[in-house]
Amino acid sequence: MSATLNEALIRDVVAEVLGRLGGNGSSPAAVAPPAARGGADGLFGDVNAAVAAAKVAQKRLVAAGLERRAAAVQCIRDIVIQQAEELGRLELEETKIGRLDHKIEKLLVCGRATPGMEFLTTEAVSGDHGLCVTEHAPWGVLGVITPVTHSVPTLACNAIMMIAAGNTLVVNPHPSGAKVAALATQRFNRAIREKTGLEDLICLIEKPTLQTADEIFKHPDVAMLVVTGGPGVAQAAMASRKKAIVAGPGNPPVVVDETADIEKAAAGIIKGAAYDNNLLCIGEKEVFVVAAVADRLLEAMGRHGGFRLTGDQARALARAALHQDEKSGHWVANKEFVGKDPPVLAAAVGLSIPAGVQCLYGEVDIDSPWLPCEQMMPFLPVVRVRDVDEAIAMAVKFEHGFGHTAIIWSQSVDHMTRMGKAVNTTLFIKNGPCMAGLGAGGEGFSSFSIATPTGEGVTSPLSFTRVRRCVMVDNLRIL
Ligand code: NAD
C-alpha cells in the first residue's frame, strides 16, 4: 500500500475512534465497533461473510423506509463530491493509469449526475375492473464487479443507484484498484451509519481474486450480478446461471463525413479520445474520415491538442504497445502503455513532445492493428476512406458487434440515420465527444455501467429493480 493510502486509512481510523469517544452513546454512530461485527465498515476477507452481512443489511435497508434510504444515498454523493480531489489522487496513485484532472471530474459527475430514488416512480392504471399499480422492488443482494479504469466512480455510481433501488452490494473490485475502493467503501459505510444507523450497505472483498469473483457468481444468496469490465468477465458473467447485467467492452468508431464542421469535429474527437488517457469504454478508439475532408481533419486535430505521428511512427508504436493474444488471436494493449500519458507513448518511438499535448494520432492503413484493438491509451488511429458508405461499413466492422458506442460528425441527417441503423449501438452520438453520451455536455443522466450485451443500456436505479404488479379487482377506483 502506498504511504499516502496508508496515511488516509490511519487518519480515518483516528477520526472514527475520536468520534466514538466524544459520542453521547445514543447516536446511530454509537453502534458496535466494526471489529465486533466481523467486517471493518464493509470490508470482508471472505465472500460468505460479506454476503451474510449484505443480506442482513438489505432487510434493514428496506425496513428503514424511504427517507433514511435517501439519506444513505446522499452520504455517498456528498463524499465523492467533497473528497473528489483526494479520492481521485489516491486512485491514480494506486492504479497508475489515467489523468488526475479527469479522475476528479469523473467523481464529481458521479456524485452530481447519477440518478437516485426519483427514478422509482409508481405507475397506476384504473378502469371498470378496479386498480392496477406497478412498483419497482429491490432484488436483494447484488454481486458487483468493478473495473480498474474507474474503480471508485463505478463503485460509487453503482452503490448510489443500487441502494436507491433498495439493494445492498457485495463488491469484488479489480485487484489493481482494490485499496482505494476499500477506503471509499469504509468512508461510505461510516457516513451512512452515522447519518442513518444503517450498516454494511456496501460489502467489499478486501483482497479480491478470480476465485472470490467466482464465489460471488455462485453464491445462492446473491440475487443478481452486475459486471462492468472487459471481454473475459463479460463472458464469465453471461455464462453464469444467475441473472446478470453486463457492462462489457467497447471499441467506439468515429465517422467524419464531407458535410461535417471539421474544426468542431477535430476538437471534439481529441477531447473525447484524450479523456482520462483514453480509458473510457465509450472513448473514441478509431476514426474513419471521407477522403474529401481527410487532410483538413488531420491538420485540424493538431490545432486542438493532438500530436501527429507519421505512418512509420504509428507502426512503431503499435509494435511497442500492442500484441496479439495467443489464444484468441485478438489484438490487445500492453499493460505498460494502458492509460499512460502521451509523453510515455511518444518516448516509446523516440519522440519528445511539447507540454500540453492531449493525445497522439496518425493516419494508418485499414489493416493496422490499431483498428481492432481497444487500445485504452492516448493514440488515435485515423483511416481515410472513399465515402460515407465505406466509413459506415468500417465502423460496423471494427465495433465488433459489441453494440456499445459509435459517433458521427456530420450535418447530413441521412448519413446519421444510415449509420445509426447499421451500427446498432447502445450509445450513438452525433456531433459531440463521447462524454456527451453520458450527460457531460449532452442531455441525459450519467452512469458508469453501460449494459451492452444484456441490453439494459445506460443503467439507472430502475435497472436494479424487479417490476411488481398489485391489482385490486372491481374496487378503489374513486371516479
Ligand atoms: P477487466 O476485464 O480486466 O476487469 C474487470 C473486472 O473483472 C475486474 O474486477 C477483474 O478482476 C474482473 N475479472 C476479469 N476477468 C474475470 C473473470 N474471468 N471472472 C471474474 N472476474 C473477472 O477490465 P478492466 O481493465 O478493469 O476495465 C476495462 C474494460 O472494461 C474495457 O474493456 C472497457 O471497455 C470495459 N468497461 C466497460 C464499461 C461499460 O460500462 N460497458 C465501463 C467501464 C469499463
Side-chain angles (χ1 to χ4, degrees):
M1 190 181 295
S2 74
T4 37
L5 256 173
N6 264 334
E7 280 161 22
L9 275 167
I10 291 165
R11 249 201 336 271
D12 281 8
V13 171
V14 171
E16 170 88 1
V17 170
L18 289 176
R20 285 179 191 287
L21 289 175
N24 61 14
S26 62
S27 73
V31 293
R37 302 192 315 274
D41 286 318
L43 305 194
F44 289 85
D46 76 282
V47 169
N48 280 334
V51 175
K55 195 174 170 185
V56 171
Q58 198 267 335
K59 298 229 175 317
R60 291 187 179 150
L61 173 66
V62 170
L66 299 182
E67 209 173 305
R68 273 161 87 195
R69 198 194 292 185
V73 169
Q74 190 59 41
C75 288
I76 303 173
R77 293 190 195 280
D78 289 347
I79 286 173
V80 288
I81 292 170
Q82 288 159 13
Q83 302 177 19
E85 220 167 302
E86 187 196 5
L87 290 172
R89 184 173 47 74
L90 293 174
E91 179 157 339
L92 182 59
E93 269 176 30
E94 184 184 5
T95 63
K96 300 181 177 60
I97 56 174
R99 283 175 47 167
L100 181 58
D101 51 348
H102 295 147
K103 296 256 178 266
I104 295 169
E105 196 171 79
K106 285 192 298 184
L107 286 164
L108 294 173
V109 168
C110 170
R112 291 174 183 149
T114 302
M117 288 171 61
E118 70 282 1
F119 267 51
L120 304 176
T121 52
T122 299
E123 296 113 49
V125 179
S126 69
D128 290 345
H129 292 296
L131 183 69
C132 168
V133 173
T134 304
E135 292 206 277
H136 298 274
W139 278 92
V141 176
L142 306 184
V144 175
I145 308 279
T146 56
V148 67
T149 46
H150 333 286
S151 186
V152 179
T154 310
L155 170 74
C157 168
N158 281 351
I160 288 171
M161 297 196 291
M162 292 168 182
I163 293 170
N167 307 286
T168 53
L169 296 76
V170 173
V171 185
N172 208 59
H174 192 292
S176 305
K179 286 166 192 154
V180 71
L183 183 78
T185 294
Q186 288 188 304
R187 290 184 180 182
F188 296 153
N189 280 329
R190 274 179 203 153
I192 291 169
R193 190 182 63 235
E194 279 162 19
K195 188 89 185 168
T196 69
L198 295 167
E199 298 182 77
D200 293 333
L201 299 189
I202 308 163
C203 297
L204 181 128
I205 307 302
E206 208 174 355
K207 293 199 169 52
T209 61
L210 288 185
Q211 171 68 26
T212 54
D214 195 51
E215 284 168 29
I216 293 173
F217 282 14
K218 293 190 175 133
H219 201 292
D221 288 336
V222 172
M224 176 163 74
L225 303 174
V226 182
V227 164
T228 306
V233 71
Q235 274 166 19
M238 304 270 283
S240 88
R241 296 173 70 185
K242 275 194 204 306
K243 177 177 168 64
I245 293 180
V246 177
N251 193 36
V254 183
V255 165
V256 183
D257 77 7
E258 65 281 7
T259 71
D261 180 327
I262 296 298
E263 211 60 38
K264 268 194 184 165
I269 290 168
I270 292 292
K271 189 173 177 190
Y275 199 88
D276 212 14
N277 282 340
N278 200 247
L279 289 180
L280 298 183
C281 59
I282 59 169
E284 289 80 352
K285 296 291 188 290
E286 61 276 339
V287 178
F288 302 100
V289 55
V290 301
V293 291
D295 287 332
R296 279 176 54 214
L297 181 78
L298 284 158
E299 206 184 301
M301 286 166 78
R303 284 196 293 278
H304 292 282
F307 184 93
R308 186 171 178 177
L309 299 190
T310 65
D312 282 344
Q313 288 164 343
R315 276 186 287 277
L317 184 56
R319 283 194 295 278
L322 311 179
H323 70 276
Q324 221 164 353
D325 180 64
E326 272 178 26
K327 251 201 208 154
S328 65
H330 295 159
W331 284 96
V332 289
N334 295 342
K335 284 245 173 334
E336 63 267 33
F337 289 93
V338 168
K340 297 300 179 203
D341 294 332
V344 176
L345 275 62
V349 291
L351 282 175
S352 144
I353 56 174
V357 166
Q358 303 290 302
C359 187
L360 309 180
Y361 69 101
E363 190 170 355
V364 303
D365 297 328
I366 201 70
D367 57 0
S368 166
W370 285 112
L371 302 178
C373 182
E374 189 192 16
Q375 68 269 36
M376 294 193 289
M377 66 183 81
F379 173 78
L380 189 61
V382 181
V383 182
R384 192 184 295 255
V385 292
R386 196 177 51 246
D387 54 24
V388 77
D389 292 325
E390 190 181 4
I392 293 173
M394 290 303 106
V396 171
K397 175 176 175 185
F398 289 106
E399 208 276 326
H400 300 307
F402 286 150
H404 200 298
T405 297
I407 298 165
I408 187 169
W409 291 86
S410 172
Q411 302 299 326
S412 163
V413 172
D414 177 45
H415 293 176
M416 294 176 192
T417 310
R418 273 157 54 194
M419 179 165 171
K421 284 184 181 170
V423 78
N424 193 22
T425 44
T426 303
L427 293 178
F428 181 41
I429 299 148
K430 275 83 69 186
N431 298 324
C434 63
M435 300 84 79
L438 292 180
E443 291 301 326
F445 63 87
S446 175
S447 170
F448 282 83
S449 295
I450 321 303
T452 39
T454 49
E456 291 78 6
V458 181
T459 52
S460 80
L462 288 177
S463 313
F464 310 114
T465 60
R466 292 169 57 229
V467 180
R468 292 181 57 191
R469 177 184 282 198
C470 187
V471 172
M472 168 65 93
V473 179
D474 290 340
N475 219 324
L476 258 184
R477 186 167 197 253
I478 53 172
L479 303 184

